[in-house]
Amino acid sequence: MAGLLLQHPLAHFALSPTQAVGNRVVAKTRSCSWRPMIQCVSSKQEGRTVVKNGKDSLDICRIVNGMWQTSGGWGKIERDNAVDAMIKHVDSGLNTFDMADIYGPAEDLYGMFINRVRRERPPELLEQIRGLTKWVPPPVKMTSNYVRENINLSRKRMDVSSLDMLQFHWWDYSNSGYLDALKHLTDLKEEGKIKTVALTNFDTERLQIILENGIPIVSNQVQHSIVDMRPQQKMAELCEATGVKLITYGTVMGGLLSEKFLDTNLSIPFAGPPLNTPSLQKYKRMVDAWGGWGQFQVLLKTLKKVASKHGVSIPTVAVKYILDQPAVAGSMVGVRLGLSEHVKDSNAVFALELDEEDVNSILEVSKKGRDLMEVIGDCGDEYRR
């Protein structure tokens, strides 16, 4: 769709328009029959999953607390209140946090939080906490020293000796420096400064190239919701062949997939809830690309029927549906630390079992929307158009 612009925590902090957009590379996807010598595995038990590639492994909570919301645009985050909220999430069992070097104070907040856990909580609780971060460099020459300096900065901000997971983003595929960066990240993993190497917003073709270069990728973080089912096309095929797992974001579409937007008409000024956050604005554009607000209301009504049947909320159903998709290890739920929370809805996901009738009713509505693979392209292409 011409002129479609989708904002994201990464695009929101692009260093420049040229860096953010880059050159879109269109190439025929290779066959997914290739398999690495060592496959990744995922073991799901009691709301946790283990992603593993060879000797590298990490267990995470399947509901991941997303910290993009700390970067501004969702309301002022007070440091102490934010740390209190992080403690509350951990005490409720939601102990995996996702952040990035470009998400404002996110890594610093994690460092304050983890220090407080060390002081106030037993060691066994500390051992269950996971901090996943991203590195989003400009497309400059990826030397060993440059990569090391940036990873050391994240380690310092998060106050950890080793990053649990480093998820790497790259703006411009025409610049093959991403392979150099990933090789240096793998070296740092061997030194113990990173536990697992992962990707964010890479497409299927590049993921396969990276794996063929011997980089032990455990996961790829991509946009995935009932509206955006692109990852279940080419990406899922490669993931099933290699064992790489998906961590999804945008799964509740910034809150659009909720009772708050059911039976609303956004075409009438001031008639519906305001789209007053970067995530609501971003995912409203995704709704428009998929099928429009009218079709989206049909989806919300379907989800509400399923939610009422099980005594849960629409967001709980939306997250569970994606967690049940092939190759998905975990799904992100954004946290507005100290401002609002979704602890109850998030924990309800673990007890929810969608039956065949539920799945079929959701699938029927989902398929009535446009195929976003044709509209936008493969996973991550929305940031490289």
Side-chain angles (χ1 to χ4, degrees):
M1 175 179 291
L4 178 65
L5 175 63
L6 301 174
Q7 295 299 319
H8 177 262
L10 302 179
H12 183 67
F13 285 95
L15 297 180
S16 74
T18 55
Q19 291 172 350
V21 177
N23 297 318
R24 188 180 182 195
V25 178
V26 180
K28 183 178 180 181
T29 303
R30 305 179 186 189
S31 168
C32 293
S33 60
W34 170 84
R35 294 171 182 262
M37 293 180 64
I38 301 175
Q39 290 193 359
C40 309
V41 300
S42 176
S43 174
K44 299 170 185 175
Q45 183 178 9
E46 296 181 354
R48 294 186 76 83
T49 187
V50 177
V51 291
K52 179 179 174 65
N53 190 328
K55 64 183 180 181
D56 306 334
S57 67
L58 188 72
D59 68 301
I60 61 172
C61 181
R62 297 201 73 206
I63 300 295
V64 180
N65 305 313
M67 294 179 65
W68 179 29
Q69 285 77 0
T70 66
S71 61
W74 287 264
K76 185 178 180 181
I77 299 290
E78 297 290 345
R79 181 188 66 181
D80 292 342
N81 291 341
V83 173
D84 285 344
M86 294 174 77
I87 294 286
K88 183 174 182 178
H89 279 76
V90 166
D91 286 342
S92 74
L94 303 171
N95 44 32
T96 298
F97 296 85
D98 177 86
M99 65 212 84
D101 61 331
I102 58 171
Y103 290 3
E107 290 184 333
D108 300 298
L109 286 171
Y110 184 87
M112 298 172 194
F113 151 76
I114 205 68
N115 266 300
R116 187 166 153 192
V117 172
R118 289 167 181 153
R119 295 193 308 269
E120 300 179 3
R121 294 295 186 273
E124 53 266 28
L125 181 63
L126 177 64
E127 291 172 1
Q128 296 176 357
I129 296 171
R130 300 291 178 262
L132 322 180
T133 195
K134 306 182 194 76
W135 182 39
V136 188
V140 298
K141 186 173 179 60
M142 292 290 114
T143 65
S144 176
N145 284 339
Y146 182 78
V147 174
R148 182 182 299 272
E149 288 171 3
N150 279 274
I151 297 311
N152 283 342
L153 180 58
S154 286
R155 291 170 56 227
K156 180 178 180 180
R157 293 178 68 191
M158 296 173 67
D159 200 12
V160 294
S161 60
S162 180
L163 301 176
D164 290 327
M165 179 184 287
L166 190 286
Q167 301 164 107
F168 177 70
H169 176 86
W170 190 250
W171 294 113
D172 183 0
Y173 292 145
S174 68
N175 179 344
S176 62
Y178 66 89
L179 289 173
D180 296 325
L182 285 164
K183 288 173 182 176
H184 295 318
L185 290 172
T186 302
D187 291 340
L188 292 173
K189 177 186 67 65
E190 293 300 316
E191 293 178 19
K193 292 180 170 58
I194 299 170
K195 294 176 183 175
T196 53
V197 177
L199 304 173
T200 181
N201 290 315
F202 271 78
D203 66 6
T204 309
E205 181 182 354
R206 255 54 61 160
L207 172 59
Q208 182 159 334
I209 290 172
I210 290 165
L211 291 171
E212 288 174 339
N213 274 268
I215 308 299
I217 298 300
V218 298
S219 64
N220 186 20
Q221 187 179 134
V222 294
Q223 182 173 289
H224 195 356
S225 68
I226 296 172
V227 166
D228 186 0
M229 295 296 290
R230 288 177 297 157
Q232 291 306 315
Q233 298 188 43
K234 293 192 294 184
M235 182 63 68
E237 182 183 356
L238 178 59
C239 287
E240 290 289 283
T242 63
V244 172
K245 297 301 174 181
L246 300 176
I247 296 176
T248 74
Y249 65 85
T251 306
V252 295
M253 304 190 72
L256 288 179
L257 284 171
S258 69
E259 283 80 0
K260 182 177 181 179
F261 289 91
L262 178 64
D263 295 325
T264 61
N265 186 353
L266 297 187
S267 65
I268 303 175
F270 309 109
L275 301 178
N276 56 1
T277 69
S279 50
L280 284 172
Q281 294 159 13
K282 164 190 164 79
Y283 293 113
K284 172 57 167 59
R285 288 188 284 271
M286 185 65 66
V287 168
D288 294 340
W290 173 72
W293 196 251
Q295 183 62 30
F296 187 66
Q297 285 299 310
V298 176
L299 174 59
L300 285 179
K301 289 174 182 176
T302 301
L303 294 176
K304 180 60 178 177
K305 183 177 179 181
V306 174
S308 297
K309 170 182 170 181
H310 293 280
V312 297
S313 69
I314 289 176
T316 298
V317 174
V319 172
K320 178 61 174 177
Y321 185 84
I322 296 303
L323 281 177
D324 286 345
Q325 298 300 310
V328 174
S331 289
M332 202 92 60
V333 175
V335 289
R336 298 172 65 181
L337 298 171
L339 298 176
S340 64
E341 64 177 50
H342 311 286
V343 170
K344 182 179 178 181
D345 283 345
S346 293
N347 273 316
V349 171
F350 301 130
L352 176 61
E353 293 293 337
L354 298 176
D355 59 33
E356 185 176 357
E357 179 185 30
D358 302 328
V359 172
N360 288 339
S361 66
I362 295 170
L363 183 61
E364 181 180 358
V365 180
S366 176
K367 285 186 172 181
K368 289 181 179 178
R370 298 188 188 99
D371 181 354
L372 293 183
M373 182 73 84
E374 296 180 359
V375 176
I376 302 170
D378 199 4
C379 299
D381 278 0
E382 57 268 38
Y383 312 122
R384 301 179 179 89
R385 296 174 67 84

